[in-house]
Amino acid sequence: MAGLRQKIIRGGLESLYFSGAYVALKPFAAGVGAILTLHHVRPPRRDRFQPNRLLEITPRFLTRVVKYLRRSKLDLVSLDEMHRRLSDRDFSRRFVCLTFDDGYRDTLQYAYPILKEAEVPFAVYVPTSFPDRLGELWWLVLEAAIARNDHISLHINGRNRTFDCATVAAKRALYEEIYWWLRRLPTEDELRSVIHYLAAFYQVDIAAFCDELCMSWPELAELAADPLVTIGAHTVNHQMLAKLPQKAVRSEMDLSRSIIEAGLSIRPEHLSYPVGDRTSAGPREFEIAAELGFKTAVTTRPGVLFPAHREHLTALPRISLNGEYQRLRYVRVLLSGSATAMWSGFRRLDAA
Ligand SMILES: [Zn+2]
C-alpha cells in the first residue's frame, strides 16, 4: 500500500512538472511563502528495509535544494522574520523557512555546515525528553523489532496474532500494518504500552535511540549559539496532543518551553506539534498554543502560506522534504503550491 501511495504521489508530481501545469497554477496556488519540514539529513543507508526513509534526505540533496533556493527569487528567512512578514502583510517577496523536527544529531553534523556556509537561517524544534534521554522514538522500536526477527507476535484487538516477516516485502507490509494500527489507537498510553511490550520481548533498547540519534543539551547549546538558529518547542514527550486531555496538552507545551529555557537560556516562541497531522493537532491545540503566547506553531498538514494565515499563526501548514522524493523538480512543484492545492481541492486554509 505504501508503495502504491508513493507511486501515485510521485506520478502526480511528475505530471504537474512535465505538463507545465505547476507554472500555470503558480499565480493562484503559490501563496506568499512556505515552511519546509526536515527530519534527518545523513548519508544514505543500503538496507532494503527502511520504512522510515521518508524522514531522511541526504546531505547532497540538501546542498542542491539550498543552491536552488538561493538562485530563486525567494528570501530564506527565520521564523521570527516569517512572523513579522505575515503580521505586517509584507509580501513584497516570497519567502521560505527551513525547519527541522526532533533535534537529531545529524542536524548538527550534516545539515548545519551546509546551511552555515550558505548563511541560511533555520529552526530546530526540540522535544525535551530527547536531550533528557527519556524520549521514546517508538517508530524506530517497531522498525528494529521487525528488521531483526522473522516473526512478530502481538496482542491485537483482544487476540494473540503472529505475523510472518521473514522477507523484505513482508517486513514492509507488516510495518505499515502495525504502524497505522498504532497510530489509530485512541490513546498514546495504549500505543506506548504496545511499544514497551515489543521492546521488552524482542530486546530493543528504547533509550539507546535517543543517545545514538538525538542531540544532547551541550550539542543543542552549540547550535543555539549561532544567530542563524532558532530553537523551537516540540513538547516534552512527543505525543499526539489531540489524544491527550486538555491539561496535559497545556503542560506538554508550556513545560517544554520552560525546560528549554532552563537548559539553553532561550525561551522558545515557536512550536511544532508532534506528528502534526489532523489526528495529532486540531483546533483545541491551535487555541492552547495561541493562549500560551507562542508566536507561531506548525503542523505537518501540507500547504504553502497565504496572507490569510495571519489569522491562524498557530495552525501553519508545511511542505515536507520527503526522502522518498529527492528530486529538485518535486521541490519546485511543491513550492509552486500546485500539488498541495490539488490535494486540498484548492482550499487555501486548513485550520479547523
Ligand atoms: Zn517530531
Side-chain angles (χ1 to χ4, degrees):
M1 270 312 286
L4 181 63
R5 195 168 59 233
Q6 280 163 18
K7 266 182 207 142
I8 292 170
I9 294 174
R10 186 172 294 121
L13 294 172
E14 293 279 2
S15 61
L16 281 167
Y17 182 79
F18 286 108
S19 68
Y22 83 101
V23 181
L25 288 168
K26 203 172 161 188
F28 312 102
V32 296
I35 311 170
L36 296 179
T37 314
L38 296 94
H39 287 86
H40 291 284
V41 176
R42 62 187 177 192
R45 287 182 293 152
R46 286 181 185 278
D47 313 46
R48 290 186 57 220
F49 175 58
Q50 291 192 52
N52 289 297
R53 207 185 85 141
L54 70 167
L55 298 177
E56 61 180 275
I57 62 167
T58 64
R60 186 163 165 260
F61 184 60
L62 179 62
T63 305
R64 295 189 60 211
V65 170
V66 166
K67 279 192 183 144
Y68 162 71
L69 293 173
R70 277 285 180 228
R71 280 198 313 272
S72 314
K73 291 192 200 98
L74 285 167
D75 291 342
L76 289 163
V77 303
S78 66
L79 289 176
D80 277 338
E81 174 62 9
M82 170 193 79
H83 176 260
R84 188 197 67 74
R85 291 185 186 201
L86 285 171
S87 304
D88 298 354
R89 299 178 205 271
D90 175 0
F91 304 130
S92 49
R93 284 173 61 84
R94 290 188 74 222
F95 58 85
V96 167
C97 285
L98 264 65
T99 63
F100 293 77
D101 283 11
D102 301 344
Y104 294 114
R105 182 170 293 120
D106 53 52
T107 304
L108 176 65
Q109 194 179 357
Y110 292 106
Y112 179 50
I114 296 167
L115 299 169
K116 175 90 184 153
E117 188 183 335
E119 290 176 58
V120 177
F122 63 99
V124 183
Y125 294 110
V126 181
T128 56
S129 61
F130 290 10
D132 276 339
R133 301 301 186 239
L134 297 166
E136 296 180 342
L137 288 76
W138 62 263
W139 52 98
L140 299 182
V141 174
L142 179 61
E143 177 179 338
I146 294 175
R148 296 175 200 164
N149 294 282
D150 289 344
H151 297 277
I152 294 283
S153 294
L154 262 185
H155 200 68
I156 289 193
N157 304 330
R159 59 197 189 97
N160 280 318
R161 292 180 58 187
T162 298
F163 301 92
D164 165 73
C165 52
T167 66
V168 171
K171 286 181 194 302
R172 286 179 185 155
L174 183 58
Y175 183 90
E176 282 293 304
E177 186 178 345
I178 300 181
Y179 176 86
W180 287 107
W181 170 68
L182 289 170
R183 283 284 309 276
R184 289 185 189 115
L185 289 173
T187 65
E188 271 275 348
D189 284 350
E190 288 164 87
L191 184 162
R192 301 285 172 129
S193 75
V194 175
I195 291 299
H196 293 162
Y197 163 80
L198 280 175
F201 198 81
Y202 295 100
Q203 292 162 8
V204 180
D205 184 353
I206 305 189
F209 290 114
C210 264
D211 264 336
E212 184 194 333
L213 296 172
C214 301
M215 280 185 274
S216 62
W217 286 109
E219 286 168 319
L220 283 166
E222 190 185 332
L223 262 192
D226 192 318
L228 283 175
V229 179
T230 302
I231 299 290
H234 196 35
T235 76
V236 176
N237 293 302
H238 203 278
Q239 297 181 321
M240 288 176 263
L241 297 177
K243 297 187 178 182
L244 302 181
Q246 167 130 0
K247 263 180 87 175
V249 174
R250 209 168 230 290
S251 86
E252 278 284 335
M253 291 184 194
D254 200 21
L255 192 57
S256 69
R257 188 163 58 175
S258 305
I259 295 171
I260 290 174
E261 191 176 11
L264 302 174
S265 307
I266 293 166
R267 189 162 174 83
E269 297 184 299
H270 304 272
L271 170 77
S272 165
Y273 304 103
V275 185
D277 66 349
R278 63 179 59 246
T279 70
S280 323
R284 182 187 67 170
E285 287 67 40
F286 304 156
E287 212 180 296
I288 295 173
E291 274 169 29
L292 288 173
F294 284 103
K295 284 162 87 174
T296 72
V298 294
T299 64
T300 53
R301 298 184 188 197
V304 296
L305 300 173
F306 291 98
H309 281 110
R310 180 176 190 269
E311 312 298 332
H312 302 276
L313 289 169
T314 54
L316 299 178
R318 288 190 287 177
I319 299 272
S320 171
L321 281 191
N322 183 314
E324 300 288 353
Y325 312 106
Q326 298 188 57
R327 285 181 189 275
L328 221 40
R329 61 176 182 263
Y330 299 156
V331 178
R332 294 164 83 123
V333 170
L334 287 166
L335 287 179
S336 77
S338 54
T340 44
M342 306 269 266
W343 298 337
S344 67
F346 287 88
R347 196 175 36 163
R348 293 184 160 189
L349 273 181
D350 181 11

